[in-house]
Amino acid sequence: MKKYIILFAILIFSTILLSGCAKKNDEKLDELAKIKRQGYITVGVKNDSIPFGYYVNGNLTGLDVEIARKIASNIFNDNSYQRVNFVPVNAQNRISMLNSGKIDIIVATMSVNDKRKMVVNFSTPYFTTSQKIMVRIGSKITNLNYFNDRGKLAVVMGTTGEKIAHVVAPNANVIGAKNYTQSAQMLANYKVDAILGDDCILKGIKAYNFKIINRAYSKEYYAVAVKKSDNSKELLNLINSTIVQLLDKKEINLIKSHYGI
Ligand code: GLU
């Protein structure tokens, strides 16, 4: 009898132990639960892309920054700015930063495309723009085809512009810039003859002697990216409802007009 009581006790004890472990593991894997438990969300944003992510008096600001704050306030049910830890990212490192766990989500002028869909999950788009070229005032260049047999074209590495340049002007001499600031310097210093990039970002780096040519080469839909995993489902649902809410209530228009977009 005593033997059975001991066996029964071991059975009960191990069941409790195992269910406890399973619960802990589930929580560990669920992205939203993990963020809630840690009390803050780490968001990858740009720091050189006016008006989406840039510094003002040492603080990150911009449309993407505002969207990240809305997502955080919906996750934590409060408006505390302390709940978001911003980490600057660029077009080349944002996906690896996400997938290696250095950031929880990307809100960084990131366009949805099929190649990226293979490695991240995207939210509902929150912003639409298109790719254009920017040249120096006085330039005779009016379209991308020009670069098929002449000149130098700058694109920021890791952006959709890189791909579009190769599709529209396959023979172009494409020069990769590490960021938008560098591409603008290259244009100003006659190192390149145009920059291909998102219209709204080009406006942010436009100098007095630059002009944007009004011909679009793509449609770009900006969306938030989360890890490509079933464990991100709850987080993605919450992000989507935040975006739908922003679009529905036309709150996004207020944010856009605040940043002159
Ligand atoms: N939206 C484009 C992209 O996702 C360019 C902007 C950026 O640098 O992120 O590649």
Side-chain angles (χ1 to χ4, degrees), residues 46 48-49 64 90-92 94 108-113 116 122 129 131 156-162 180 196-198 200-201 220-222:
K46 294 285 200 68
D48 72 333
S49 301
D64 285 347
N90 59 42
Q92 283 171 284
R94 58 192 162 192
T109 64
M110 189 166 168
S111 307
V112 177
N113 72 18
R116 291 173 182 167
F122 281 108
T129 185
Q131 292 246 324
V156 173
M157 289 182 282
T159 64
T160 43
E162 231 183 345
Y180 290 97
L196 172 66
D198 291 1
C200 53
I201 299 180
E220 305 288 320
Y221 297 95
Y222 290 2

Side-chain angles (χ1 to χ4, degrees), residues 209-225:
N209 57 340
F210 295 169
K211 65 176 176 189
I212 297 171
I213 309 286
N214 201 17
R215 178 174 175 164
Y217 294 96
S218 70
K219 264 255 180 276
E220 305 288 320
Y221 297 95
Y222 290 2
V224 178

Side-chain angles (χ1 to χ4, degrees), residues 205-253:
I205 56 165
K206 190 168 166 283
Y208 73 96
N209 57 340
F210 295 169
K211 65 176 176 189
I212 297 171
I213 309 286
N214 201 17
R215 178 174 175 164
Y217 294 96
S218 70
K219 264 255 180 276
E220 305 288 320
Y221 297 95
Y222 290 2
V224 178
V226 299
K227 286 191 197 88
K228 193 170 179 62
S229 151
D230 280 350
N231 303 314
S232 299
K233 269 190 186 150
E234 301 270 319
L235 177 60
L236 194 58
N237 286 343
L238 190 138
I239 292 170
N240 279 337
S241 61
T242 306
I243 293 172
V244 168
Q245 204 183 320
L246 280 168
L247 298 174
D248 267 6
K249 288 191 185 161
K250 309 270 187 290
E251 239 183 291
I252 196 99
N253 291 344

Side-chain angles (χ1 to χ4, degrees), residues 249-261:
K249 288 191 185 161
K250 309 270 187 290
E251 239 183 291
I252 196 99
N253 291 344
L254 290 178
I255 303 174
K256 274 158 79 176
S257 66
H258 176 79
Y259 289 100
I261 312 172

Side-chain angles (χ1 to χ4, degrees), residues 61-92:
T61 188
L63 182 120
D64 285 347
V65 170
E66 301 282 342
I67 291 197
R69 287 195 172 123
K70 291 278 172 196
I71 292 167
S73 76
N74 273 356
I75 293 177
F76 299 106
N77 277 321
D78 68 35
N79 287 318
S80 169
Y81 276 16
Q82 316 297 330
R83 300 289 201 165
V84 196
N85 174 26
F86 289 112
V87 173
V89 297
N90 59 42
Q92 283 171 284

